[in-house]
């Protein structure tokens, strides 16, 4: 599975489901945690790896912070 997210004028919060993780670069969310963009125009493409239940950021622009 692949999704692409492009932030507009307001913050975008990406919520992982259940025990899934999100990893963008060295930033890794907690299980079921979130990633939030910092500025308008930030974008990320996420690919899901079922074996690790992790959404990996394969392409990103701007800064994303985890929680």
């Amino acid at each position: 599975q692949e999704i692409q997210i492009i932030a507009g004028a307001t913050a975008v919060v990406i919520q992982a489901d259940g025990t899934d993780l999100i990893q963008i670069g060295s930033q890794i969310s907690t299980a079921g945690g979130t990633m939030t963009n910092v500025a308008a125009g930030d974008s990320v493409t996420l690919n899901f790896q079922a074996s690790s239940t992790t959404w990996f950021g394969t392409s990103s622009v701007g800064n994303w912070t985890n929680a």
Side-chain angles (χ1 to χ4, degrees), residues 4-64:
Q4 183 177 30
I5 300 164
I6 301 170
T10 59
V12 172
V13 178
I14 304 168
Q15 174 78 51
D17 185 41
T19 58
D20 290 358
L21 304 171
I22 304 169
Q23 181 172 349
I24 301 174
S26 62
Q27 298 278 333
I28 303 173
S29 73
T30 58
T34 63
M35 286 286 184
T36 305
N37 73 304
V38 175
D42 290 348
S43 65
V44 65
T45 299
L46 298 170
N47 285 282
F48 186 68
Q49 183 181 60
S51 62
S52 65
T53 64
T54 302
W55 288 92
F56 289 99
T58 55
S59 174
S60 66
V61 173
N63 294 306
W64 294 82

